[in-house]
Amino acid sequence: MKFFFTFFVMFCFLAAPAAEIAATPAPDFGREALFSVNNLWVMIGAMLVFIMHLGFACVESGLARAKNCTNILFKNTMTPAIGFLSYAICGFAIMYPNSHWLIGHLFGFAGWGLHNPPGPAIAYNGMYTYWTDFFFQGMFAATAATIVSGAVAERIKLSSYLCFTAIYVTVVYPLVGSWGWGGGWLNTLHFHDFAGSTFVHSVGGFAALAGILLLGPRIGKYVDGKAMPLMGHNMSQATIGVFLLWFGWFGFNGASALSANPAIVSLVLVNTMLAASAALVSAMCAGKLLLGKPDLSMTLNGCLAGLVGITAGADCVSVLSAIIIGLVSGVLVTCGVLLFDKLFIDDPVGALSVHLLCGVWGTLAVGIFSPEYKLLTQLIGVAAVGSVSFGAAYGIFFALKKLFGIRVSETTELKGLDLVEHGAEAYPGFQFFSNM
Amino acid sequence: MKFFFTFFVMFCFLAAPAAEIAATPAPDFGREALFSVNNLWVMIGAMLVFIMHLGFACVESGLARAKNCTNILFKNTMTPAIGFLSYAICGFAIMYPNSHWLIGHLFGFAGWGLHNPPGPAIAYNGMYTYWTDFFFQGMFAATAATIVSGAVAERIKLSSYLCFTAIYVTVVYPLVGSWGWGGGWLNTLHFHDFAGSTFVHSVGGFAALAGILLLGPRIGKYVDGKAMPLMGHNMSQATIGVFLLWFGWFGFNGASALSANPAIVSLVLVNTMLAASAALVSAMCAGKLLLGKPDLSMTLNGCLAGLVGITAGADCVSVLSAIIIGLVSGVLVTCGVLLFDKLFIDDPVGALSVHLLCGVWGTLAVGIFSPEYKLLTQLIGVAAVGSVSFGAAYGIFFALKKLFGIRVSETTELKGLDLVEHGAEAYPGFQFFSNM
Amino acid sequence: MKFFFTFFVMFCFLAAPAAEIAATPAPDFGREALFSVNNLWVMIGAMLVFIMHLGFACVESGLARAKNCTNILFKNTMTPAIGFLSYAICGFAIMYPNSHWLIGHLFGFAGWGLHNPPGPAIAYNGMYTYWTDFFFQGMFAATAATIVSGAVAERIKLSSYLCFTAIYVTVVYPLVGSWGWGGGWLNTLHFHDFAGSTFVHSVGGFAALAGILLLGPRIGKYVDGKAMPLMGHNMSQATIGVFLLWFGWFGFNGASALSANPAIVSLVLVNTMLAASAALVSAMCAGKLLLGKPDLSMTLNGCLAGLVGITAGADCVSVLSAIIIGLVSGVLVTCGVLLFDKLFIDDPVGALSVHLLCGVWGTLAVGIFSPEYKLLTQLIGVAAVGSVSFGAAYGIFFALKKLFGIRVSETTELKGLDLVEHGAEAYPGFQFFSNM
């Protein structure tokens, strides 16, 4: 504008009044409004992701026995707290190193703590502020840890779980995340994971697998080579949790557009809505076929499976592809739950089937259904992220096991973690049958 | 800028194409921002409507007995899934036929599936995208079916309920909806139903009535001509549900403005807030007067009644009228619950009193309190929608009854639908008194 | 650009119609969009505050015994209803008297009822409409009353509680609020309470203290000078409540910016997120140190304590200060709960420790951590608001006690308020141990 004005004055008529008008332009309300609305949606999306933590707390506690309910609620309340703080201390800086790459495009670090760069907010990023960026990404970070919580439920020591969470969210999650979302080598390869089928869900799922393998199954889960049902104590709570997760997922996927761009966000939302619906239907049918009756917990896991499945490609597949991805996810999760039981891998809430299997499936589906991306690249991403996150999680759990032990004593497990670890039941006053 | 400068030089010395400068303006951030914010609010409103499905699940399961809780949760989880999918397949195209009317302005069909029209998103509708439109309307569609779920609870076969839902959401709901919101004959008559007292709530309520009449009352509900209390098992859950419904209703009504227009949306929200409050107070008082004590479930239904009542006219009545509409709704729902019991119409959750009675009342109230609309037209709309939706629902339920049966066996009903239909209780571990 | 071009044409050729073009400018989409997005965020923020009422209902009922659960749910459902209506009738007009101050800057009144001032919505306030203003402030008003509900739980008469709420929200809350947010004398003194550590939380907390002192402890709480544990019946519900409160607090604090200003709102959200996290960690540690085990209810109260603590200064302290404020809040609430028990002040849910102690602490923290504000002024504000709200609440409860009695009979208390006051249990069917 200024340059133009200078030129205008110099070149044309040396006219005075015109200059003044052009030199004091009206504030650009349009640009400010666009910045505000984009920023607003990312903030609201982050709040929706926040409510997913309550969703996880409800699903996991609902699918566990009453005697371990307080313990799960405690873990799932502390997980976001620890996650947010550790992400603020250095996780955010590892995940988004900007130009500060230290080892190739494998590991970078932008510095300790949070530092709002100087200059107007709008300059940080045309879409949202630095704080909004942290707010949204911090919510995501804590999600990965929460996935582990359910898989290791009913037998892990509280202290070991909290240690694991702190380390995993501080280092491992942001490290592998930086490869894709932070501009690292997977990003260079044109690997696509829109909202985190891989970077969040399978990163959580692989850690869950490592934890389960090192912990072993719960007492009484496998008797004479057969899986016994250890029923969750509260299906209402589990259902509330699944609905809250679905609700929150609209922010998880929708705000991963990192703007309020109407065309992109609304397509993402419709894909998210329909993939989950399709997965609910296919999981219901698969449950009916394989178990004889339409099982509620299987069906609920179907919903989550569809959501995990569509997360990687919600922005780049058609609505019909989203429905197919969902249908497959619903079948996959049902078979997964049965399969893991055959392998004596005791996962109380089905976290492996939901987050690991469908996280991998969703990431590969991008290579299948979107012409823009290659299946091979997607495979490379899954393998790289999987091996590092499984390896790291196994290492951390293994070290904790050697140093402090990660499993509660047999008497604690039988009595319930609530009384022994926290000195308080979840439902004082209610009468229970034994072993619940 | 550069382009303009080049052009300027050209203009000064060749002085011809000035008009063309104006024809290629800078990007209009203001218009883009306005489109984004309108679209954003409709998307968020849709998410709020989504959470109403959880609200319904909580209210209905909380007000039913524990032995049928899993079944209700299952139904209310599958309802949105089936609703979204069937609305995508053809419901949306029946409800909004645009120019594709086939029979007068009574029935139209825009074609199978979802098809984002070509051109920029902003061209579809100055306010929101095609996908946002579907996202919002799809959420609404599934709501109508959910209303039925509670009314037929504790005795309907799962398979019959799911069939009914699929057919009703696919055909009946969009058909009558097209008369008003799709630009059909009721719209031409200047019938006004802002957010769906008629098109959603009484459409659901009439179907509920048809279902109840064909199912008959639950075993043990009416003994020697007197209504017995079959208490809901969990008032905390019912209360959570009502709050979530109220919360979601801010999106249901607020985003029915189909833009983020500050003046309209904020008035709608205040009317919604105060009508529900007034209904809570009047239902509490009516409960105290008629039952001797302020009953929680009656009062909670009062809240929902006020919300249903204000839904038709939230945009066109004054705040004082909204309070009056709410006060009447609260009394109406209380009397309704008592009246239906006198008529041996067994509605476990009070859905008829809430959605049918107050849906009709709210629609008529538009004709009473708003000078813009005529009571007679409102009556015509209620009668037309009511007769078609009741007739269609009765027909569907009747056909299902003849073909497969719609009611579970007596032993199933006594044992509870959870164990028989799903093979799993909602609260394993908790000890219950018999018949709960 | 267009304008400039027009001017250029005018200047160059002295063309006549140019003036007319400038006189009828294109609609300013940018300004309209900015108004819409600011207004939208305040409306959504208000909805988030609304969901806090459900959060309170869950926390308070979860931390009480099952036999009083219906009663608490009833109170917490009626509280927002009464609060919204009474705020509409005159509370809003007392809190924001604009120019209508009657007694110094101590008391003003803008007139009965709600009156949307004439003129375009944008003229009321560049940021949001009159209705949005009421919607947001009305949500806040009802919050203060809800705080009292938990503190007086399990022994207060329903009618007395409802009377108290109506009077307190109608007169006392808006009166002291007008001193700060309504432009009164505390505002003139440059007292800062961003979102209500004082004006909402300690106003609620002081009333809670008055109620507790006049009611006395629950039967069985203090035996032989020792505090007995009267365990809450449902820790899942309490946890759900805390998460909903944290979720809602993003609106409570975030929308207190009264615009969607990206820089301010996003900083507020990050401070809110991290203060609560820090308080969770410090409350967990304090609980472990003081009680031997990490207690869930203590930790949950820690979360709320951090949220109350950061509320006054979320807009003006650094992220590091927010973390320190949170850490202190978490310790403070834990010590508070133990201290009040030593003083035989029976607060079933820890409302005094959360809202009163941390409300005061948060307000003073503004004077400590923000260079803009003085500790002395903050102290004056706390003392003035505290003495008036405690005095008024004590007066109202005292008058109610003399007139009707405020405490239920001993038999009612032992049997539970649910059966006696409401004639219905919260969990019919479930078997309980006695005294729950």
Side-chain angles (χ1 to χ4, degrees), chain A residues 11 235-236 266 293-294 431 433, chain B residues 13 129 420 422 426-427 429 431:
Chain A
F11 197 83
M235 292 311 295
S236 297
S266 59
K293 294 193 172 179
Q431 293 193 27
F433 293 106
Chain B
F13 300 101
T129 69
V420 185
H422 304 279
Y427 306 98
Q431 293 194 28

Side-chain angles (χ1 to χ4, degrees), chain C residues 19-46:
Chain C
E20 275 165 48
I21 293 168
T24 53
D28 190 342
F29 290 118
R31 194 183 283 263
E32 199 184 330
L34 196 59
F35 180 55
S36 293
V37 66
N38 285 326
N39 182 72
L40 179 60
W41 171 233
V42 179
M43 293 192 306
I44 291 176

